[in-house]
Structures are given as C-alpha cells and as structure tokens.
PDB file of all heavy atoms in Angstrom:
ATOM      1  N   ILE A   1      25.862   2.657 -13.449  1.00  0.00           N
ATOM      2  CA  ILE A   1      26.550   3.537 -12.564  1.00  0.00           C
ATOM      3  C   ILE A   1      26.373   3.030 -11.087  1.00  0.00           C
ATOM      4  O   ILE A   1      27.293   2.960 -10.326  1.00  0.00           O
ATOM      5  CB  ILE A   1      26.097   4.926 -12.629  1.00  0.00           C
ATOM      6  CG1 ILE A   1      26.291   5.504 -14.024  1.00  0.00           C
ATOM      7  CG2 ILE A   1      26.611   5.812 -11.560  1.00  0.00           C
ATOM      8  CD1 ILE A   1      25.566   6.836 -14.306  1.00  0.00           C
ATOM      9  N   GLU A   2      25.113   2.582 -10.792  1.00  0.00           N
ATOM     10  CA  GLU A   2      24.915   2.072  -9.347  1.00  0.00           C
ATOM     11  C   GLU A   2      25.667   0.832  -8.995  1.00  0.00           C
ATOM     12  O   GLU A   2      26.315   0.735  -7.964  1.00  0.00           O
ATOM     13  CB  GLU A   2      23.438   1.901  -9.173  1.00  0.00           C
ATOM     14  CG  GLU A   2      23.081   1.416  -7.799  1.00  0.00           C
ATOM     15  CD  GLU A   2      21.588   1.372  -7.540  1.00  0.00           C
ATOM     16  OE1 GLU A   2      20.841   1.379  -8.531  1.00  0.00           O
ATOM     17  OE2 GLU A   2      21.148   1.382  -6.368  1.00  0.00           O
ATOM     18  N   LEU A   3      25.802   0.006 -10.046  1.00  0.00           N
ATOM     19  CA  LEU A   3      26.557  -1.265  -9.889  1.00  0.00           C
ATOM     20  C   LEU A   3      28.007  -0.953  -9.611  1.00  0.00           C
ATOM     21  O   LEU A   3      28.612  -1.573  -8.646  1.00  0.00           O
ATOM     22  CB  LEU A   3      26.474  -2.241 -11.132  1.00  0.00           C
ATOM     23  CG  LEU A   3      25.122  -3.061 -11.296  1.00  0.00           C
ATOM     24  CD1 LEU A   3      25.081  -3.599 -12.601  1.00  0.00           C
ATOM     25  CD2 LEU A   3      25.052  -4.071 -10.143  1.00  0.00           C
ATOM     26  N   VAL A   4      28.591  -0.044 -10.349  1.00  0.00           N
ATOM     27  CA  VAL A   4      29.999   0.242 -10.243  1.00  0.00           C
ATOM     28  C   VAL A   4      30.185   1.000  -8.844  1.00  0.00           C
ATOM     29  O   VAL A   4      31.178   0.698  -8.254  1.00  0.00           O
ATOM     30  CB  VAL A   4      30.465   1.100 -11.435  1.00  0.00           C
ATOM     31  CG1 VAL A   4      31.892   1.565 -11.219  1.00  0.00           C
ATOM     32  CG2 VAL A   4      30.435   0.232 -12.654  1.00  0.00           C
ATOM     33  N   CYS A   5      29.359   1.938  -8.589  1.00  0.00           N
ATOM     34  CA  CYS A   5      29.535   2.639  -7.303  1.00  0.00           C
ATOM     35  C   CYS A   5      29.436   1.564  -6.104  1.00  0.00           C
ATOM     36  O   CYS A   5      30.230   1.754  -5.132  1.00  0.00           O
ATOM     37  CB  CYS A   5      28.665   3.808  -7.154  1.00  0.00           C
ATOM     38  SG  CYS A   5      28.921   5.198  -8.295  1.00  0.00           S
ATOM     39  N   ASP A   6      28.596   0.720  -6.241  1.00  0.00           N
ATOM     40  CA  ASP A   6      28.453  -0.244  -5.068  1.00  0.00           C
ATOM     41  C   ASP A   6      29.740  -1.193  -4.998  1.00  0.00           C
ATOM     42  O   ASP A   6      30.112  -1.419  -3.907  1.00  0.00           O
ATOM     43  CB  ASP A   6      27.242  -1.196  -5.367  1.00  0.00           C
ATOM     44  CG  ASP A   6      25.841  -0.502  -5.099  1.00  0.00           C
ATOM     45  OD1 ASP A   6      25.896   0.618  -4.463  1.00  0.00           O
ATOM     46  OD2 ASP A   6      24.825  -0.976  -5.517  1.00  0.00           O
ATOM     47  N   ARG A   7      30.247  -1.484  -6.138  1.00  0.00           N
ATOM     48  CA  ARG A   7      31.550  -2.264  -6.085  1.00  0.00           C
ATOM     49  C   ARG A   7      32.738  -1.532  -5.583  1.00  0.00           C
ATOM     50  O   ARG A   7      33.622  -2.161  -4.949  1.00  0.00           O
ATOM     51  CB  ARG A   7      31.773  -2.750  -7.509  1.00  0.00           C
ATOM     52  CG  ARG A   7      30.771  -3.848  -8.036  1.00  0.00           C
ATOM     53  CD  ARG A   7      31.067  -4.152  -9.537  1.00  0.00           C
ATOM     54  NE  ARG A   7      29.919  -5.021  -9.946  1.00  0.00           N
ATOM     55  CZ  ARG A   7      29.816  -5.439 -11.306  1.00  0.00           C
ATOM     56  NH1 ARG A   7      30.747  -4.935 -12.157  1.00  0.00           N
ATOM     57  NH2 ARG A   7      28.941  -6.244 -11.697  1.00  0.00           N
ATOM     58  N   HIS A   8      32.685  -0.253  -5.671  1.00  0.00           N
ATOM     59  CA  HIS A   8      33.723   0.619  -5.212  1.00  0.00           C
ATOM     60  C   HIS A   8      33.769   0.924  -3.666  1.00  0.00           C
ATOM     61  O   HIS A   8      34.641   1.370  -3.045  1.00  0.00           O
ATOM     62  CB  HIS A   8      33.852   1.937  -5.953  1.00  0.00           C
ATOM     63  CG  HIS A   8      34.936   2.834  -5.659  1.00  0.00           C
ATOM     64  ND1 HIS A   8      36.257   2.357  -5.805  1.00  0.00           N
ATOM     65  CD2 HIS A   8      35.028   4.074  -5.034  1.00  0.00           C
ATOM     66  CE1 HIS A   8      37.021   3.423  -5.379  1.00  0.00           C
ATOM     67  NE2 HIS A   8      36.349   4.319  -5.004  1.00  0.00           N
ATOM     68  N   ALA A   9      32.436   0.749  -3.096  1.00  0.00           N
ATOM     69  CA  ALA A   9      32.198   1.247  -1.716  1.00  0.00           C
ATOM     70  C   ALA A   9      33.237   0.748  -0.688  1.00  0.00           C
ATOM     71  O   ALA A   9      33.720   1.508   0.161  1.00  0.00           O
ATOM     72  CB  ALA A   9      30.790   0.907  -1.242  1.00  0.00           C
ATOM     73  N   SER A  10      33.553  -0.486  -0.764  1.00  0.00           N
ATOM     74  CA  SER A  10      34.566  -1.115   0.230  1.00  0.00           C
ATOM     75  C   SER A  10      35.945  -0.592  -0.057  1.00  0.00           C
ATOM     76  O   SER A  10      36.820  -0.844   0.869  1.00  0.00           O
ATOM     77  CB  SER A  10      34.524  -2.629   0.100  1.00  0.00           C
ATOM     78  OG  SER A  10      34.903  -3.144  -1.133  1.00  0.00           O
ATOM     79  N   ASN A  11      36.221  -0.101  -1.231  1.00  0.00           N
ATOM     80  CA  ASN A  11      37.607   0.391  -1.537  1.00  0.00           C
ATOM     81  C   ASN A  11      37.740   1.881  -1.631  1.00  0.00           C
ATOM     82  O   ASN A  11      38.772   2.403  -2.147  1.00  0.00           O
ATOM     83  CB  ASN A  11      38.000  -0.238  -2.874  1.00  0.00           C
ATOM     84  CG  ASN A  11      38.175  -1.642  -2.750  1.00  0.00           C
ATOM     85  OD1 ASN A  11      38.696  -2.276  -1.890  1.00  0.00           O
ATOM     86  ND2 ASN A  11      37.575  -2.470  -3.716  1.00  0.00           N
ATOM     87  N   ASN A  12      36.677   2.637  -1.235  1.00  0.00           N
ATOM     88  CA  ASN A  12      36.818   4.115  -1.298  1.00  0.00           C
ATOM     89  C   ASN A  12      37.864   4.682  -0.610  1.00  0.00           C
ATOM     90  O   ASN A  12      38.080   4.441   0.638  1.00  0.00           O
ATOM     91  CB  ASN A  12      35.387   4.689  -0.825  1.00  0.00           C
ATOM     92  CG  ASN A  12      35.255   6.172  -1.103  1.00  0.00           C
ATOM     93  OD1 ASN A  12      35.945   6.715  -1.933  1.00  0.00           O
ATOM     94  ND2 ASN A  12      34.386   6.833  -0.321  1.00  0.00           N
ATOM     95  N   CYS A  13      38.625   5.488  -1.287  1.00  0.00           N
ATOM     96  CA  CYS A  13      39.820   6.151  -0.714  1.00  0.00           C
ATOM     97  C   CYS A  13      39.474   7.521  -0.161  1.00  0.00           C
ATOM     98  O   CYS A  13      39.069   8.330  -0.840  1.00  0.00           O
ATOM     99  CB  CYS A  13      40.988   6.298  -1.666  1.00  0.00           C
ATOM    100  SG  CYS A  13      42.443   6.992  -1.066  1.00  0.00           S
ATOM    101  N   SER A  14      39.593   7.735   1.206  1.00  0.00           N
ATOM    102  CA  SER A  14      38.962   8.890   1.759  1.00  0.00           C
ATOM    103  C   SER A  14      39.782  10.171   1.533  1.00  0.00           C
ATOM    104  O   SER A  14      39.128  11.182   1.388  1.00  0.00           O
ATOM    105  CB  SER A  14      38.913   8.744   3.382  1.00  0.00           C
ATOM    106  OG  SER A  14      40.258   8.430   3.912  1.00  0.00           O
ATOM    107  N   SER A  15      41.023  10.058   1.289  1.00  0.00           N
ATOM    108  CA  SER A  15      41.864  11.177   0.966  1.00  0.00           C
ATOM    109  C   SER A  15      42.786  10.878  -0.282  1.00  0.00           C
ATOM    110  O   SER A  15      43.969  10.648  -0.178  1.00  0.00           O
ATOM    111  CB  SER A  15      42.783  11.596   2.126  1.00  0.00           C
ATOM    112  OG  SER A  15      42.006  12.032   3.213  1.00  0.00           O
ATOM    113  N   PRO A  16      42.105  10.827  -1.409  1.00  0.00           N
ATOM    114  CA  PRO A  16      42.802  10.434  -2.664  1.00  0.00           C
ATOM    115  C   PRO A  16      43.919  11.316  -3.194  1.00  0.00           C
ATOM    116  O   PRO A  16      43.791  12.551  -3.129  1.00  0.00           O
ATOM    117  CB  PRO A  16      41.694  10.178  -3.668  1.00  0.00           C
ATOM    118  CG  PRO A  16      40.614  11.198  -3.262  1.00  0.00           C
ATOM    119  CD  PRO A  16      40.687  11.249  -1.752  1.00  0.00           C
ATOM    120  N   SER A  17      44.976  10.695  -3.662  1.00  0.00           N
ATOM    121  CA  SER A  17      45.992  11.486  -4.378  1.00  0.00           C
ATOM    122  C   SER A  17      45.589  11.571  -5.868  1.00  0.00           C
ATOM    123  O   SER A  17      44.528  10.933  -6.258  1.00  0.00           O
ATOM    124  CB  SER A  17      47.313  10.756  -4.245  1.00  0.00           C
ATOM    125  OG  SER A  17      47.368   9.579  -4.961  1.00  0.00           O
ATOM    126  N   LEU A  18      46.340  12.344  -6.619  1.00  0.00           N
ATOM    127  CA  LEU A  18      45.998  12.375  -8.066  1.00  0.00           C
ATOM    128  C   LEU A  18      46.184  10.963  -8.654  1.00  0.00           C
ATOM    129  O   LEU A  18      45.260  10.582  -9.471  1.00  0.00           O
ATOM    130  CB  LEU A  18      46.954  13.344  -8.808  1.00  0.00           C
ATOM    131  CG  LEU A  18      46.835  13.461 -10.334  1.00  0.00           C
ATOM    132  CD1 LEU A  18      45.301  13.941 -10.621  1.00  0.00           C
ATOM    133  CD2 LEU A  18      47.772  14.493 -10.819  1.00  0.00           C
ATOM    134  N   ALA A  19      47.054  10.290  -8.272  1.00  0.00           N
ATOM    135  CA  ALA A  19      47.304   8.872  -8.772  1.00  0.00           C
ATOM    136  C   ALA A  19      46.111   8.038  -8.393  1.00  0.00           C
ATOM    137  O   ALA A  19      45.634   7.135  -9.216  1.00  0.00           O
ATOM    138  CB  ALA A  19      48.610   8.219  -8.311  1.00  0.00           C
ATOM    139  N   ASP A  20      45.570   8.129  -7.090  1.00  0.00           N
ATOM    140  CA  ASP A  20      44.375   7.434  -6.684  1.00  0.00           C
ATOM    141  C   ASP A  20      43.202   7.800  -7.610  1.00  0.00           C
ATOM    142  O   ASP A  20      42.372   6.950  -8.000  1.00  0.00           O
ATOM    143  CB  ASP A  20      44.055   7.743  -5.306  1.00  0.00           C
ATOM    144  CG  ASP A  20      45.088   7.223  -4.277  1.00  0.00           C
ATOM    145  OD1 ASP A  20      45.762   6.262  -4.594  1.00  0.00           O
ATOM    146  OD2 ASP A  20      45.278   7.881  -3.204  1.00  0.00           O
ATOM    147  N   ILE A  21      43.050   9.013  -7.923  1.00  0.00           N
ATOM    148  CA  ILE A  21      41.915   9.445  -8.672  1.00  0.00           C
ATOM    149  C   ILE A  21      41.955   8.924 -10.146  1.00  0.00           C
ATOM    150  O   ILE A  21      40.964   8.365 -10.701  1.00  0.00           O
ATOM    151  CB  ILE A  21      41.840  10.997  -8.820  1.00  0.00           C
ATOM    152  CG1 ILE A  21      41.348  11.599  -7.286  1.00  0.00           C
ATOM    153  CG2 ILE A  21      40.809  11.558  -9.755  1.00  0.00           C
ATOM    154  CD1 ILE A  21      41.565  13.047  -7.140  1.00  0.00           C
ATOM    155  N   VAL A  22      43.110   8.916 -10.683  1.00  0.00           N
ATOM    156  CA  VAL A  22      43.331   8.452 -12.048  1.00  0.00           C
ATOM    157  C   VAL A  22      43.083   6.986 -12.055  1.00  0.00           C
ATOM    158  O   VAL A  22      42.435   6.405 -13.038  1.00  0.00           O
ATOM    159  CB  VAL A  22      44.782   8.697 -12.630  1.00  0.00           C
ATOM    160  CG1 VAL A  22      45.070   8.057 -13.843  1.00  0.00           C
ATOM    161  CG2 VAL A  22      44.918  10.272 -12.773  1.00  0.00           C
ATOM    162  N   ALA A  23      43.558   6.262 -11.136  1.00  0.00           N
ATOM    163  CA  ALA A  23      43.327   4.852 -11.027  1.00  0.00           C
ATOM    164  C   ALA A  23      41.879   4.452 -10.873  1.00  0.00           C
ATOM    165  O   ALA A  23      41.331   3.510 -11.490  1.00  0.00           O
ATOM    166  CB  ALA A  23      44.211   4.202  -9.858  1.00  0.00           C
ATOM    167  N   ALA A  24      41.108   5.299  -9.986  1.00  0.00           N
ATOM    168  CA  ALA A  24      39.827   5.010  -9.741  1.00  0.00           C
ATOM    169  C   ALA A  24      38.911   5.259 -10.993  1.00  0.00           C
ATOM    170  O   ALA A  24      37.989   4.586 -11.369  1.00  0.00           O
ATOM    171  CB  ALA A  24      39.262   5.920  -8.628  1.00  0.00           C
TER     172      ALA A  24
END
C-alpha cells in the first residue's frame, strides 16, 4: 500500500471526477 501511494503522490488529482476515481 505504501509503495503504491508513494507512486501516486505526484499524480494525485485534487478534485477528481467519477472517471478519475475509477481510473485511480
């Protein structure tokens, strides 16, 4: 979990749409 969250940090979407959430 920590590895994946660290990899996502630079691509974190601050105001995600439903499509963004499904993709994440």
Side-chain angles (χ1 to χ4, degrees):
I1 297 167
E2 185 172 16
L3 282 169
V4 172
C5 287
D6 285 348
R7 291 172 186 174
H8 183 65
S10 60
N11 297 310
N12 187 22
C13 179
S14 60
S15 299
S17 65
L18 179 58
D20 293 329
I21 290 168
V22 171

